Amino acid sequence: VSTSIHKTEIIMSCATTAEEIRRYLGSGIIKGVGPAMAKKIVAAYGREALDIIENDPKRLSELNGITIDKAIYIGHEFKKLNGIKTIIEFLQKYNISPITASLVWKEYEAKSMALVKENPYLLCESEFEVDFTIADRIAYDLELSMYSVNRIKAGIAYVLRENAFAGHTCLPREKLSETVCRIISVGEDDFDKALWEGLQEGDFAELPMAKRTYIYLYEYYAAEKYITDKISVMLKLSAPLEKDYSEEIAGVEWSEGIKYEDLQKAAINGALGNNLFILTGGPGTGKTTTLNAVIQLCRSKRKRLLLAAPTGRAAKRMSDLTGQPAKTIHRLLEVD
């Protein structure tokens, strides 16, 4: 994408003679215009060809083989190229790549420049992923208010996204307020106003829990809610724990020379007797030992067994600890 756009910029800026214009139009850069049509247009209008295509494209219908609809279409495609060029040139001043600029154009087309100048913080949205500090610099150059709701909402999203990268899908409201106000130098009232608007517009979500209110980027809230809803359904569909696996567990203890704690036995029973089982605990609490027992008992029952972990490193460690092959979740699900 960036290569073709870059070539377009060079050709458009250099196409001044009739021959250069013919080569530009005949390059296929405008859909529906090939070398033969380009030659016909330049033969008729010479160096005025580009101006006519941009400002009075209907005149192209004067030529044989070009209908009025075709002429209007060519003019529309040409203006589109000019619009892409404008947004690329503007954003490149801030080291924003032509690829990102083309994504902005694809989303907003002819309104791109006006919308970016009105609210440069839209560049921080997940489709474009421009850093907040860069959008802030654009806003400063455009002399936009540092207390604008758009800026503060983008600041809130920036802090939430940075924390999400560190593994925190939400933040307590008071912690979020303190951090945002400090980082972007606004007051609590400004923060409250922007947060309220973001909640109304669906940019953020709030979750009251344990006497605190947590704030999410909406996409993370939706993802967590989807997961918890699915887990609830799976638990409801799980058959009740009808069998006690104490004898089988005792057999593993004897063969492995291990003595399981009561909680570990309960976990092994739970894992074998439910469609879904979640085992938590800090380092050294016996999770791997418990998992190995579950694996051994599943194998003894000839059950199909798949092990997966979020990352390649975690999958390798799981494999090393259990002696069983493990994959990443993405590879297991064959996600591209």
Side-chain angles (χ1 to χ4, degrees), residues 206-260:
E206 62 180 350
L207 178 66
M209 186 169 57
K211 298 182 180 180
R212 303 180 82 177
T213 298
Y214 293 84
I215 306 298
Y216 289 79
L217 286 169
Y218 185 80
E219 57 262 38
Y220 288 108
Y221 171 78
E224 282 200 354
K225 188 173 188 308
Y226 175 81
I227 292 168
T228 56
D229 288 346
K230 292 289 283 188
I231 288 174
S232 295
V233 171
M234 293 173 74
L235 288 173
K236 287 176 183 177
L237 294 176
S238 287
L241 187 60
E242 296 178 350
K243 182 173 180 180
D244 181 6
Y245 291 89
S246 296
E247 289 187 12
E248 288 90 338
I249 294 171
V252 175
E253 287 181 314
W254 180 83
S255 64
E256 298 296 321
I258 293 174
K259 181 65 178 176
Y260 296 116

Tab-separated table of all heavy atoms in Angstrom, residues 206-260:
chain	number	residue	atom	x	y	z
A	206	GLU	N	-18.274	0.694	32.911
A	206	GLU	CA	-17.952	0.675	34.341
A	206	GLU	C	-18.595	-0.533	34.995
A	206	GLU	O	-19.668	-0.988	34.591
A	206	GLU	CB	-18.408	1.972	35.014
A	206	GLU	CG	-19.888	2.241	34.971
A	206	GLU	CD	-20.253	3.551	35.659
A	206	GLU	OE1	-19.374	4.142	36.316
A	206	GLU	OE2	-21.419	3.981	35.541
A	207	LEU	N	-17.906	-1.052	35.999
A	207	LEU	CA	-18.389	-2.242	36.705
A	207	LEU	C	-18.228	-2.034	38.204
A	207	LEU	O	-17.105	-2.045	38.721
A	207	LEU	CB	-17.595	-3.477	36.264
A	207	LEU	CG	-17.959	-4.788	36.946
A	207	LEU	CD1	-19.377	-5.209	36.559
A	207	LEU	CD2	-16.964	-5.875	36.567
A	208	PRO	N	-19.341	-1.795	38.931
A	208	PRO	CA	-19.260	-1.702	40.404
A	208	PRO	C	-18.985	-3.090	40.982
A	208	PRO	O	-19.652	-4.057	40.633
A	208	PRO	CB	-20.657	-1.206	40.795
A	208	PRO	CG	-21.302	-0.745	39.515
A	208	PRO	CD	-20.695	-1.570	38.429
A	209	MET	N	-17.996	-3.167	41.863
A	209	MET	CA	-17.648	-4.466	42.454
A	209	MET	C	-16.870	-4.246	43.743
A	209	MET	O	-15.910	-3.479	43.763
A	209	MET	CB	-16.814	-5.281	41.451
A	209	MET	CG	-16.523	-6.702	41.888
A	209	MET	SD	-15.822	-7.694	40.541
A	209	MET	CE	-14.391	-6.735	40.094
A	210	ALA	N	-17.320	-4.901	44.807
A	210	ALA	CA	-16.628	-4.849	46.102
A	210	ALA	C	-16.369	-3.412	46.551
A	210	ALA	O	-15.249	-3.045	46.897
A	210	ALA	CB	-15.323	-5.629	46.023
A	211	LYS	N	-17.427	-2.609	46.526
A	211	LYS	CA	-17.404	-1.225	47.007
A	211	LYS	C	-16.506	-0.307	46.185
A	211	LYS	O	-16.180	0.800	46.613
A	211	LYS	CB	-16.969	-1.167	48.485
A	211	LYS	CG	-17.918	-1.904	49.428
A	211	LYS	CD	-17.473	-1.772	50.870
A	211	LYS	CE	-18.431	-2.502	51.800
A	211	LYS	NZ	-18.021	-2.395	53.211
A	212	ARG	N	-16.084	-0.750	44.998
A	212	ARG	CA	-15.300	0.098	44.098
A	212	ARG	C	-15.935	0.030	42.714
A	212	ARG	O	-16.675	-0.911	42.401
A	212	ARG	CB	-13.845	-0.354	44.021
A	212	ARG	CG	-13.141	-0.410	45.355
A	212	ARG	CD	-11.704	-0.854	45.211
A	212	ARG	NE	-10.816	0.237	44.828
A	212	ARG	CZ	-9.502	0.106	44.704
A	212	ARG	NH1	-8.921	-1.071	44.894
A	212	ARG	NH2	-8.747	1.129	44.373
A	213	THR	N	-15.628	1.020	41.901
A	213	THR	CA	-16.103	1.015	40.510
A	213	THR	C	-14.897	0.911	39.600
A	213	THR	O	-13.948	1.702	39.712
A	213	THR	CB	-16.892	2.295	40.190
A	213	THR	OG1	-18.048	2.357	41.028
A	213	THR	CG2	-17.340	2.300	38.730
A	214	TYR	N	-14.932	-0.055	38.703
A	214	TYR	CA	-13.827	-0.290	37.774
A	214	TYR	C	-14.214	0.208	36.375
A	214	TYR	O	-15.360	0.030	35.944
A	214	TYR	CB	-13.474	-1.769	37.729
A	214	TYR	CG	-12.886	-2.270	39.029
A	214	TYR	CD1	-13.715	-2.669	40.081
A	214	TYR	CD2	-11.515	-2.312	39.217
A	214	TYR	CE1	-13.179	-3.106	41.288
A	214	TYR	CE2	-10.967	-2.755	40.422
A	214	TYR	CZ	-11.807	-3.149	41.440
A	214	TYR	OH	-11.271	-3.573	42.629
A	215	ILE	N	-13.247	0.825	35.706
A	215	ILE	CA	-13.478	1.370	34.368
A	215	ILE	C	-12.700	0.552	33.348
A	215	ILE	O	-11.520	0.266	33.534
A	215	ILE	CB	-13.048	2.849	34.283
A	215	ILE	CG1	-13.726	3.671	35.389
A	215	ILE	CG2	-13.369	3.423	32.897
A	215	ILE	CD1	-15.231	3.717	35.312
A	216	TYR	N	-13.376	0.193	32.267
A	216	TYR	CA	-12.799	-0.591	31.173
A	216	TYR	C	-12.841	0.209	29.869
A	216	TYR	O	-13.740	1.045	29.675
A	216	TYR	CB	-13.644	-1.834	30.890
A	216	TYR	CG	-13.645	-2.940	31.882
A	216	TYR	CD1	-14.407	-2.872	33.048
A	216	TYR	CD2	-12.949	-4.117	31.627
A	216	TYR	CE1	-14.460	-3.939	33.938
A	216	TYR	CE2	-12.995	-5.184	32.508
A	216	TYR	CZ	-13.749	-5.090	33.659
A	216	TYR	OH	-13.798	-6.150	34.530
A	217	LEU	N	-11.939	-0.085	28.955
A	217	LEU	CA	-12.215	0.161	27.551
A	217	LEU	C	-13.336	-0.799	27.176
A	217	LEU	O	-13.317	-1.968	27.580
A	217	LEU	CB	-10.985	-0.127	26.687
A	217	LEU	CG	-9.854	0.907	26.746
A	217	LEU	CD1	-8.617	0.341	26.050
A	217	LEU	CD2	-10.280	2.212	26.099
A	218	TYR	N	-14.303	-0.331	26.402
A	218	TYR	CA	-15.490	-1.149	26.202
A	218	TYR	C	-15.166	-2.518	25.595
A	218	TYR	O	-15.757	-3.529	25.973
A	218	TYR	CB	-16.520	-0.432	25.318
A	218	TYR	CG	-17.792	-1.235	25.225
A	218	TYR	CD1	-18.720	-1.198	26.258
A	218	TYR	CD2	-18.027	-2.084	24.159
A	218	TYR	CE1	-19.863	-1.977	26.234
A	218	TYR	CE2	-19.168	-2.874	24.114
A	218	TYR	CZ	-20.087	-2.806	25.150
A	218	TYR	OH	-21.205	-3.597	25.105
A	219	GLU	N	-14.195	-2.550	24.659
A	219	GLU	CA	-13.914	-3.836	24.024
A	219	GLU	C	-13.404	-4.881	25.014
A	219	GLU	O	-13.691	-6.077	24.877
A	219	GLU	CB	-12.922	-3.684	22.856
A	219	GLU	CG	-11.594	-3.065	23.214
A	219	GLU	CD	-11.529	-1.584	22.887
A	219	GLU	OE1	-12.569	-0.900	23.079
A	219	GLU	OE2	-10.460	-1.116	22.452
A	220	TYR	N	-12.669	-4.434	26.047
A	220	TYR	CA	-12.187	-5.381	27.060
A	220	TYR	C	-13.329	-5.826	27.984
A	220	TYR	O	-13.400	-6.991	28.391
A	220	TYR	CB	-11.055	-4.769	27.878
A	220	TYR	CG	-9.772	-4.659	27.106
A	220	TYR	CD1	-9.293	-3.436	26.664
A	220	TYR	CD2	-9.013	-5.785	26.794
A	220	TYR	CE1	-8.118	-3.330	25.936
A	220	TYR	CE2	-7.834	-5.699	26.078
A	220	TYR	CZ	-7.398	-4.462	25.651
A	220	TYR	OH	-6.234	-4.375	24.931
A	221	TYR	N	-14.211	-4.884	28.301
A	221	TYR	CA	-15.381	-5.236	29.113
A	221	TYR	C	-16.245	-6.253	28.371
A	221	TYR	O	-16.675	-7.267	28.939
A	221	TYR	CB	-16.196	-3.981	29.423
A	221	TYR	CG	-17.524	-4.279	30.074
A	221	TYR	CD1	-17.602	-4.604	31.427
A	221	TYR	CD2	-18.707	-4.258	29.333
A	221	TYR	CE1	-18.823	-4.900	32.029
A	221	TYR	CE2	-19.929	-4.549	29.921
A	221	TYR	CZ	-19.975	-4.862	31.260
A	221	TYR	OH	-21.177	-5.154	31.851
A	222	ALA	N	-16.486	-5.995	27.082
A	222	ALA	CA	-17.321	-6.900	26.282
A	222	ALA	C	-16.678	-8.285	26.202
A	222	ALA	O	-17.372	-9.311	26.280
A	222	ALA	CB	-17.537	-6.319	24.890
A	223	ALA	N	-15.354	-8.312	26.057
A	223	ALA	CA	-14.653	-9.606	25.967
A	223	ALA	C	-14.778	-10.373	27.279
A	223	ALA	O	-15.077	-11.577	27.282
A	223	ALA	CB	-13.181	-9.374	25.616
A	224	GLU	N	-14.558	-9.687	28.399
A	224	GLU	CA	-14.659	-10.370	29.694
A	224	GLU	C	-16.083	-10.847	29.971
A	224	GLU	O	-16.301	-11.945	30.482
A	224	GLU	CB	-14.185	-9.439	30.820
A	224	GLU	CG	-12.676	-9.336	30.913
A	224	GLU	CD	-12.207	-8.826	32.270
A	224	GLU	OE1	-13.059	-8.454	33.097
A	224	GLU	OE2	-10.992	-8.799	32.495
A	225	LYS	N	-17.057	-10.006	29.605
A	225	LYS	CA	-18.453	-10.391	29.845
A	225	LYS	C	-18.818	-11.604	28.993
A	225	LYS	O	-19.518	-12.518	29.453
A	225	LYS	CB	-19.396	-9.231	29.537
A	225	LYS	CG	-20.830	-9.515	29.950
A	225	LYS	CD	-21.716	-8.305	29.789
A	225	LYS	CE	-23.100	-8.571	30.399
A	225	LYS	NZ	-23.724	-9.816	29.921
A	226	TYR	N	-18.348	-11.629	27.755
A	226	TYR	CA	-18.612	-12.776	26.881
A	226	TYR	C	-18.038	-14.052	27.505
A	226	TYR	O	-18.696	-15.096	27.539
A	226	TYR	CB	-17.995	-12.531	25.512
A	226	TYR	CG	-18.096	-13.705	24.569
A	226	TYR	CD1	-19.273	-13.946	23.858
A	226	TYR	CD2	-17.030	-14.581	24.399
A	226	TYR	CE1	-19.380	-15.028	22.995
A	226	TYR	CE2	-17.124	-15.668	23.539
A	226	TYR	CZ	-18.297	-15.884	22.836
A	226	TYR	OH	-18.386	-16.961	22.000
A	227	ILE	N	-16.810	-13.943	28.018
A	227	ILE	CA	-16.163	-15.121	28.619
A	227	ILE	C	-16.931	-15.587	29.855
A	227	ILE	O	-17.197	-16.785	30.021
A	227	ILE	CB	-14.698	-14.798	28.980
A	227	ILE	CG1	-13.869	-14.595	27.699
A	227	ILE	CG2	-14.087	-15.909	29.827
A	227	ILE	CD1	-12.512	-13.989	27.944
A	228	THR	N	-17.291	-14.659	30.723
A	228	THR	CA	-17.998	-15.062	31.947
A	228	THR	C	-19.376	-15.633	31.626
A	228	THR	O	-19.822	-16.577	32.282
A	228	THR	CB	-18.135	-13.883	32.933
A	228	THR	OG1	-18.783	-12.780	32.281
A	228	THR	CG2	-16.792	-13.434	33.439
A	229	ASP	N	-20.051	-15.072	30.624
A	229	ASP	CA	-21.351	-15.612	30.229
A	229	ASP	C	-21.206	-17.041	29.704
A	229	ASP	O	-22.013	-17.918	30.020
A	229	ASP	CB	-22.002	-14.729	29.161
A	229	ASP	CG	-22.491	-13.402	29.728
A	229	ASP	OD1	-22.560	-13.271	30.962
A	229	ASP	OD2	-22.807	-12.498	28.927
A	230	LYS	N	-20.181	-17.273	28.888
A	230	LYS	CA	-19.955	-18.618	28.352
A	230	LYS	C	-19.607	-19.604	29.470
A	230	LYS	O	-20.072	-20.744	29.481
A	230	LYS	CB	-18.827	-18.592	27.322
A	230	LYS	CG	-19.155	-17.837	26.053
A	230	LYS	CD	-20.173	-18.567	25.196
A	230	LYS	CE	-19.552	-19.707	24.441
A	230	LYS	NZ	-20.501	-20.308	23.469
A	231	ILE	N	-18.772	-19.150	30.422
A	231	ILE	CA	-18.416	-20.016	31.548
A	231	ILE	C	-19.663	-20.368	32.359
A	231	ILE	O	-19.851	-21.523	32.771
A	231	ILE	CB	-17.354	-19.336	32.439
A	231	ILE	CG1	-15.995	-19.328	31.722
A	231	ILE	CG2	-17.237	-20.047	33.785
A	231	ILE	CD1	-14.923	-18.556	32.444
A	232	SER	N	-20.535	-19.399	32.570
A	232	SER	CA	-21.768	-19.660	33.328
A	232	SER	C	-22.612	-20.731	32.648
A	232	SER	O	-23.145	-21.637	33.298
A	232	SER	CB	-22.582	-18.371	33.472
A	232	SER	OG	-21.887	-17.426	34.240
A	233	VAL	N	-22.727	-20.619	31.325
A	233	VAL	CA	-23.509	-21.608	30.575
A	233	VAL	C	-22.858	-22.988	30.678
A	233	VAL	O	-23.533	-24.002	30.902
A	233	VAL	CB	-23.641	-21.191	29.096
A	233	VAL	CG1	-24.253	-22.328	28.269
A	233	VAL	CG2	-24.493	-19.938	28.974
A	234	MET	N	-21.524	-23.033	30.518
A	234	MET	CA	-20.825	-24.321	30.590
A	234	MET	C	-20.981	-24.974	31.963
A	234	MET	O	-21.145	-26.197	32.072
A	234	MET	CB	-19.345	-24.123	30.261
A	234	MET	CG	-19.102	-23.724	28.807
A	234	MET	SD	-17.380	-23.292	28.482
A	234	MET	CE	-16.626	-24.908	28.496
A	235	LEU	N	-20.939	-24.164	33.005
A	235	LEU	CA	-21.109	-24.711	34.352
A	235	LEU	C	-22.519	-25.250	34.556
A	235	LEU	O	-22.723	-26.306	35.176
A	235	LEU	CB	-20.792	-23.645	35.396
A	235	LEU	CG	-19.311	-23.279	35.556
A	235	LEU	CD1	-19.148	-22.100	36.497
A	235	LEU	CD2	-18.516	-24.481	36.073
A	236	LYS	N	-23.514	-24.549	34.011
A	236	LYS	CA	-24.900	-24.999	34.155
A	236	LYS	C	-25.126	-26.310	33.407
A	236	LYS	O	-25.955	-27.132	33.809
A	236	LYS	CB	-25.846	-23.925	33.632
A	236	LYS	CG	-25.962	-22.713	34.544
A	236	LYS	CD	-26.837	-21.634	33.936
A	236	LYS	CE	-26.888	-20.400	34.828
A	236	LYS	NZ	-27.674	-19.307	34.214
A	237	LEU	N	-24.394	-26.477	32.302
A	237	LEU	CA	-24.554	-27.684	31.503
A	237	LEU	C	-23.708	-28.841	32.012
A	237	LEU	O	-23.830	-29.963	31.526
A	237	LEU	CB	-24.193	-27.394	30.033
A	237	LEU	CG	-25.118	-26.418	29.303
A	237	LEU	CD1	-24.597	-26.152	27.902
A	237	LEU	CD2	-26.544	-26.957	29.247
A	238	SER	N	-22.804	-28.550	32.959
A	238	SER	CA	-21.960	-29.619	33.506
A	238	SER	C	-22.799	-30.610	34.289
A	238	SER	O	-23.693	-30.233	35.052
A	238	SER	CB	-20.895	-29.031	34.437
A	238	SER	OG	-19.904	-28.370	33.701
A	239	ALA	N	-22.500	-31.882	34.100
A	239	ALA	CA	-23.189	-32.916	34.879
A	239	ALA	C	-22.761	-32.801	36.337
A	239	ALA	O	-21.612	-32.447	36.629
A	239	ALA	CB	-22.837	-34.289	34.326
A	240	PRO	N	-23.642	-33.087	37.269
A	240	PRO	CA	-23.248	-33.041	38.685
A	240	PRO	C	-22.169	-34.078	38.973
A	240	PRO	O	-22.083	-35.110	38.315
A	240	PRO	CB	-24.549	-33.371	39.425
A	240	PRO	CG	-25.395	-34.091	38.420
A	240	PRO	CD	-25.038	-33.499	37.091
A	241	LEU	N	-21.345	-33.750	39.944
A	241	LEU	CA	-20.230	-34.634	40.296
A	241	LEU	C	-20.784	-35.897	40.964
A	241	LEU	O	-21.134	-35.895	42.138
A	241	LEU	CB	-19.277	-33.902	41.240
A	241	LEU	CG	-17.976	-34.620	41.586
A	241	LEU	CD1	-17.155	-34.896	40.330
A	241	LEU	CD2	-17.165	-33.773	42.563
A	242	GLU	N	-20.911	-36.953	40.178
A	242	GLU	CA	-21.540	-38.177	40.692
A	242	GLU	C	-20.511	-39.195	41.174
A	242	GLU	O	-20.826	-40.056	41.983
A	242	GLU	CB	-22.403	-38.812	39.586
A	242	GLU	CG	-23.570	-37.921	39.174
A	242	GLU	CD	-24.378	-38.527	38.045
A	242	GLU	OE1	-23.908	-39.533	37.463
A	242	GLU	OE2	-25.462	-38.003	37.753
A	243	LYS	N	-19.294	-39.136	40.665
A	243	LYS	CA	-18.321	-40.164	41.008
A	243	LYS	C	-17.232	-39.609	41.898
A	243	LYS	O	-16.766	-38.490	41.707
A	243	LYS	CB	-17.710	-40.746	39.739
A	243	LYS	CG	-16.711	-41.863	40.031
A	243	LYS	CD	-16.231	-42.548	38.783
A	243	LYS	CE	-15.243	-43.644	39.131
A	243	LYS	NZ	-14.733	-44.341	37.945
A	244	ASP	N	-16.824	-40.400	42.833
A	244	ASP	CA	-15.697	-40.056	43.691
A	244	ASP	C	-14.466	-40.801	43.151
A	244	ASP	O	-14.482	-42.038	43.028
A	244	ASP	CB	-15.993	-40.481	45.129
A	244	ASP	CG	-14.854	-40.127	46.072
A	244	ASP	OD1	-13.906	-39.451	45.618
A	244	ASP	OD2	-14.917	-40.529	47.251
A	245	TYR	N	-13.446	-40.027	42.807
A	245	TYR	CA	-12.248	-40.627	42.204
A	245	TYR	C	-11.162	-40.927	43.250
A	245	TYR	O	-9.986	-41.035	42.912
A	245	TYR	CB	-11.687	-39.689	41.128
A	245	TYR	CG	-12.566	-39.590	39.914
A	245	TYR	CD1	-13.576	-38.644	39.855
A	245	TYR	CD2	-12.392	-40.439	38.830
A	245	TYR	CE1	-14.401	-38.544	38.739
A	245	TYR	CE2	-13.204	-40.353	37.706
A	245	TYR	CZ	-14.210	-39.400	37.671
A	245	TYR	OH	-15.024	-39.318	36.556
A	246	SER	N	-11.578	-41.065	44.501
A	246	SER	CA	-10.594	-41.254	45.573
A	246	SER	C	-9.711	-42.484	45.342
A	246	SER	O	-8.494	-42.448	45.576
A	246	SER	CB	-11.301	-41.388	46.929
A	246	SER	OG	-11.970	-40.187	47.239
A	247	GLU	N	-10.308	-43.585	44.875
A	247	GLU	CA	-9.509	-44.790	44.654
A	247	GLU	C	-8.476	-44.580	43.554
A	247	GLU	O	-7.314	-45.004	43.687
A	247	GLU	CB	-10.434	-45.958	44.291
A	247	GLU	CG	-11.270	-46.468	45.457
A	247	GLU	CD	-12.033	-47.726	45.098
A	247	GLU	OE1	-11.735	-48.325	44.033
A	247	GLU	OE2	-12.918	-48.112	45.877
A	248	GLU	N	-8.898	-43.945	42.460
A	248	GLU	CA	-7.966	-43.678	41.361
A	248	GLU	C	-6.843	-42.750	41.819
A	248	GLU	O	-5.675	-42.933	41.458
A	248	GLU	CB	-8.701	-43.062	40.173
A	248	GLU	CG	-9.593	-44.027	39.419
A	248	GLU	CD	-11.005	-44.073	39.962
A	248	GLU	OE1	-11.186	-43.695	41.146
A	248	GLU	OE2	-11.910	-44.499	39.221
A	249	ILE	N	-7.214	-41.727	42.621
A	249	ILE	CA	-6.207	-40.785	43.122
A	249	ILE	C	-5.208	-41.512	44.029
A	249	ILE	O	-3.998	-41.288	43.954
A	249	ILE	CB	-6.894	-39.616	43.880
A	249	ILE	CG1	-7.724	-38.777	42.896
A	249	ILE	CG2	-5.858	-38.740	44.579
A	249	ILE	CD1	-8.609	-37.744	43.562
A	250	ALA	N	-5.728	-42.406	44.846
A	250	ALA	CA	-4.851	-43.186	45.734
A	250	ALA	C	-3.893	-44.043	44.915
A	250	ALA	O	-2.723	-44.229	45.286
A	250	ALA	CB	-5.691	-44.060	46.664
A	251	GLY	N	-4.383	-44.564	43.780
A	251	GLY	CA	-3.524	-45.347	42.908
A	251	GLY	C	-2.388	-44.517	42.332
A	251	GLY	O	-1.235	-44.995	42.251
A	252	VAL	N	-2.667	-43.276	41.958
A	252	VAL	CA	-1.624	-42.384	41.440
A	252	VAL	C	-0.629	-42.056	42.549
A	252	VAL	O	0.595	-42.028	42.330
A	252	VAL	CB	-2.233	-41.086	40.864
A	252	VAL	CG1	-1.132	-40.116	40.443
A	252	VAL	CG2	-3.146	-41.392	39.684
A	253	GLU	N	-1.131	-41.830	43.776
A	253	GLU	CA	-0.245	-41.552	44.907
A	253	GLU	C	0.727	-42.715	45.108
A	253	GLU	O	1.931	-42.517	45.332
A	253	GLU	CB	-1.066	-41.318	46.178
A	253	GLU	CG	-1.806	-39.988	46.216
A	253	GLU	CD	-2.580	-39.792	47.507
A	253	GLU	OE1	-3.275	-40.759	47.929
A	253	GLU	OE2	-2.499	-38.702	48.096
A	254	TRP	N	0.184	-43.929	45.014
A	254	TRP	CA	1.023	-45.120	45.239
A	254	TRP	C	2.058	-45.275	44.125
A	254	TRP	O	3.241	-45.483	44.381
A	254	TRP	CB	0.143	-46.355	45.307
A	254	TRP	CG	0.935	-47.616	45.540
A	254	TRP	CD1	1.383	-48.103	46.733
A	254	TRP	CD2	1.379	-48.527	44.538
A	254	TRP	NE1	2.083	-49.270	46.561
A	254	TRP	CE2	2.096	-49.564	45.217
A	254	TRP	CE3	1.234	-48.602	43.144
A	254	TRP	CZ2	2.664	-50.631	44.529
A	254	TRP	CZ3	1.797	-49.660	42.473
A	254	TRP	CH2	2.512	-50.674	43.160
A	255	SER	N	1.628	-45.117	42.873
A	255	SER	CA	2.546	-45.325	41.745
A	255	SER	C	3.595	-44.228	41.642
A	255	SER	O	4.726	-44.482	41.212
A	255	SER	CB	1.758	-45.433	40.433
A	255	SER	OG	1.097	-44.209	40.149
A	256	GLU	N	3.237	-43.018	42.041
A	256	GLU	CA	4.160	-41.886	41.905
A	256	GLU	C	4.900	-41.559	43.197
A	256	GLU	O	5.784	-40.689	43.200
A	256	GLU	CB	3.401	-40.631	41.441
A	256	GLU	CG	2.740	-40.768	40.070
A	256	GLU	CD	3.743	-40.966	38.969
A	256	GLU	OE1	4.816	-40.318	39.019
A	256	GLU	OE2	3.491	-41.793	38.058
A	257	GLY	N	4.514	-42.201	44.281
A	257	GLY	CA	5.145	-41.901	45.563
A	257	GLY	C	4.838	-40.496	46.034
A	257	GLY	O	5.708	-39.801	46.571
A	258	ILE	N	3.582	-40.078	45.840
A	258	ILE	CA	3.155	-38.714	46.173
A	258	ILE	C	2.001	-38.795	47.166
A	258	ILE	O	1.175	-39.724	47.116
A	258	ILE	CB	2.688	-37.958	44.904
A	258	ILE	CG1	3.864	-37.722	43.958
A	258	ILE	CG2	2.053	-36.619	45.265
A	258	ILE	CD1	3.454	-37.114	42.639
A	259	LYS	N	1.932	-37.802	48.059
A	259	LYS	CA	0.788	-37.679	48.957
A	259	LYS	C	0.115	-36.339	48.682
A	259	LYS	O	0.685	-35.274	48.908
A	259	LYS	CB	1.251	-37.736	50.422
A	259	LYS	CG	0.114	-37.632	51.429
A	259	LYS	CD	-0.815	-38.821	51.336
A	259	LYS	CE	-1.930	-38.731	52.376
A	259	LYS	NZ	-2.907	-39.836	52.229
A	260	TYR	N	-1.109	-36.384	48.124
A	260	TYR	CA	-1.816	-35.157	47.792
A	260	TYR	C	-2.500	-34.556	49.013
A	260	TYR	O	-3.019	-35.292	49.879
A	260	TYR	CB	-2.865	-35.414	46.706
A	260	TYR	CG	-2.287	-35.857	45.380
A	260	TYR	CD1	-2.567	-37.122	44.875
A	260	TYR	CD2	-1.461	-35.014	44.650
A	260	TYR	CE1	-2.034	-37.543	43.668
A	260	TYR	CE2	-0.926	-35.425	43.443
A	260	TYR	CZ	-1.211	-36.681	42.961
A	260	TYR	OH	-0.679	-37.085	41.765
